[in-house]
Amino acid sequence: MCHCSHDDDTKSAVDLSRVWRPDDAQKPAPVKPNAIELYRPDILATIEEKIKELDPELRELSLDIHAHPELGFAEYHAHDVYTAFMIKHGFVVDKQFQLPTAWRATFEVGTGGRTIGVNSEMDALKGIGHACGHNLIGISGVAVAIAIRAALEKHNLSGKVVLLGTPAEEGGSGKVILLEKGAYEGMDACLMCHPAPGPVGSVSLSSCLALERITVEYHGHTAHAALSPWEGKNALDAAVLGYNNISALRQQLKPTHRVHGIFEGKDWAPNIIPDFARFVCYVRAPTVKEMKETVKRVLPCFEAAALATGCEVVIKQTGATFDLRQNKALGEEVANVIRSKYGAVDYTWGISSASTDFGNVTYALPSLHPGFAIPTVHDGGNHTLAFTQSAATIEAHNACLDISKALATTGVRVLTDDAFFADVKRTFEEDKALREGLETGIGGYMEPPSRPNS
C-alpha cells in the first residue's frame, strides 16, 4: 500500500504497463528533463561524479558477489568482501555486527549532525543463486554510503552515514533481528532499493505484502503400507489435507492475499506409512491487519487435517514481516530526481506482490525502499534462474547506479535541510497514525494499485 503521491508518468514516453526487455531499443531517459527544480544540484553533481569514479570497482564487486551466492546467515564471503571494500574507502567497520555475517560501516563528517542509514543485502536463494538481485542491492548500499560521504566532505556539511550489511532477507528476517538488537537506533532515516521487472528506466514507489511464516508438523504412527495400513496414522496425508483445505479456502480469499507452501519429511519410503510430515506455509496480505485476519482462517485448515487423520499437530508461527510504509517526503524527493535526471516513476511495479523484512524497518523509522526496473525476459521475474542472469547484466548495473544517485542525494538532504527533515518526520507520524488506525479498525483503507502482468 503506497502513501506517496500517485502522480505517475502515464503521459510520458515510457509505457508503464510494459516490461523492459533485453532487446528493447528504448533506453532509460528522464521523463521531465530539467523541468523540476532540484535541491542543491551541486551536491547531486558531486554524487554523480563519485559514483562514476566508483563504477568499475562497483561492477567488479557486484560480479564477485553474484559469482559466490550464499544462503542466509552464511554470507561469509560477502561479509569479508564488503567489509574489506568499506575499510579500503575509509569507513570505520564493525565486522560480525550483532550477527555472524552482519556488518556496519560508519563515516561521520563534522559533529552534531543527523544520521542517515543505508542497507546492503547479501544472501542468495537455494539452487538459483542471486535470483533476487541482492548483488545489486549490496553495491547500491555501498555506492549510496560512499557518495553521501563525498558530498558531505566536499561541501563542508555535517552528518553521519551508517551502512548496515543485513543477512538473510530470504526467509530469515535478518533486518528484524537487527532491529530488535538495536542496530537501527540513532538513524534519523533509512534507505535502500530492490531490482525487479518493470518499465524501461522506471523506479517504483509501491508497497509490498505483509507476511507470516507458519511451520506445521504432523506426528502420526508408522505401519506397513500394504500389510497393515490400519495400524498407521499417516502424517503425510494430514499435511496433504491441510494443503487441500487451504486450496478450498483460497476461493474465498481476496485476490490480493497469498497462501503458499511446501511439504518436508524425513525417512519416507513408499511402503511405510509416514509418521512425520512438515508443511511450511507463508500467508501474505497488503497490510499487517489483513495478514493476521487471514492467518486466523488458515490455522483451522491445519487443525482439521490433524483431526481427520488422527495425527498430532504442532503449529508454530515463526516470524512476520510487515508491509512497506514508503515515507511520502522521501519518496517525493527520489521521484523528483529520477524524473528530472534518469527515468520515470511508477506506483505499481517493484516488489508489490512480494515481501521484505525492510517493511519492519519502515514501521520503526522514516524509510524508503524503491524498486528499480532492470531488463528481464518473459516469465523471468524475481526468484527465477532467468532473473539471476538479468541481475548480472550491464543494463541492470547501470539502473542500479541511477537509483543509487537519487537515494544518495535524498540522504544528503535528510542530513542538511532542516525543513525537509521536518517534513520527513511529519509524514512518518501521519502514516503511523494511519496504520495504527488500520490495526484497530479505525480509519480508511486504500486498495493497493493492481500490477500489470509481467
Side-chain angles (χ1 to χ4, degrees), residues 112-135:
R114 286 185 281 271
T115 299
I116 188 72
V118 194
N119 283 183
S120 286
E121 293 177 359
M122 298 177 287
D123 57 322
L125 289 153
K126 187 175 182 179
I128 53 177
H130 278 287
C132 216
H134 290 193
N135 60 304

Side-chain angles (χ1 to χ4, degrees), residues 355-367:
S355 305
T356 174
D357 55 3
F358 193 76
N360 300 57
V361 178
T362 70
Y363 272 65
L365 69 154
S367 306

Side-chain angles (χ1 to χ4, degrees), residues 171-361:
S173 297
K175 295 184 197 64
V176 179
I177 298 171
L178 289 173
L179 190 64
E180 292 171 348
K181 288 178 175 288
Y184 291 85
E185 290 179 5
M187 293 183 187
D188 292 293
C190 194
L191 307 169
M192 66 168 291
C193 60
H194 200 298
V200 174
S202 189
V203 165
S204 302
L205 293 172
S206 60
S207 183
C208 74
L209 300 181
L211 177 150
E212 177 68 80
R213 299 179 180 88
I214 305 172
T215 299
V216 186
E217 293 185 351
Y218 292 101
H219 299 271
H221 191 278
T222 58
H224 194 295
L227 181 65
S228 51
W230 51 85
E231 295 178 356
K233 294 179 181 178
N234 196 317
L236 177 57
D237 277 355
V240 170
L241 281 175
Y243 178 93
N244 288 336
N245 289 341
I246 289 170
S247 296
L249 172 65
R250 196 178 286 117
Q251 298 175 79
Q252 275 67 56
L253 296 179
K254 291 181 179 179
T256 52
H257 294 217
R258 304 283 188 271
V259 186
H260 51 94
I262 59 168
F263 299 121
E264 295 179 342
K266 62 180 181 181
D267 301 326
W268 284 352
N271 63 341
I272 303 172
I273 301 291
D275 66 348
F276 174 82
R278 179 185 293 117
F279 184 48
V280 182
C281 178
Y282 286 7
V283 178
R284 309 185 200 232
T287 66
V288 171
K289 179 176 184 289
E290 288 185 286
M291 177 268 288
K292 289 179 178 178
E293 290 173 347
T294 298
V295 167
K296 289 179 182 178
R297 301 180 68 186
V298 167
L299 295 180
C301 294
F302 304 131
E303 295 162 353
L307 183 63
T309 56
C311 293
E312 299 295 323
V313 62
V314 178
I315 301 173
K316 298 177 182 178
Q317 294 176 229
T318 57
T321 61
F322 301 165
D323 48 307
L324 286 168
R325 312 299 296 193
Q326 307 279 29
N327 182 270
K328 185 175 184 290
L330 294 173
E332 289 178 348
E333 181 67 11
V334 165
N336 285 342
V337 177
I338 292 295
R339 290 180 175 126
S340 179
K341 298 289 291 185
Y342 310 118
V345 173
D346 72 81
Y347 297 86
T348 303
W349 294 86
I351 62 164
S352 58
S353 293
S355 305
T356 174
D357 55 3
F358 193 76
N360 300 57
V361 178

Side-chain angles (χ1 to χ4, degrees), residues 365-395:
L365 69 154
S367 306
L368 194 73
H369 181 291
F372 64 95
I374 67 173
T376 54
V377 301
H378 185 71
D379 291 335
N382 298 62
H383 293 208
T384 67
L385 281 170
F387 197 88
T388 305
Q389 298 172 357
S390 296
T393 62
I394 190 62
E395 292 82 5

Side-chain angles (χ1 to χ4, degrees), residues 389-403:
Q389 298 172 357
S390 296
T393 62
I394 190 62
E395 292 82 5
H397 175 78
N398 292 335
C400 176
L401 297 192
D402 282 346
I403 183 60

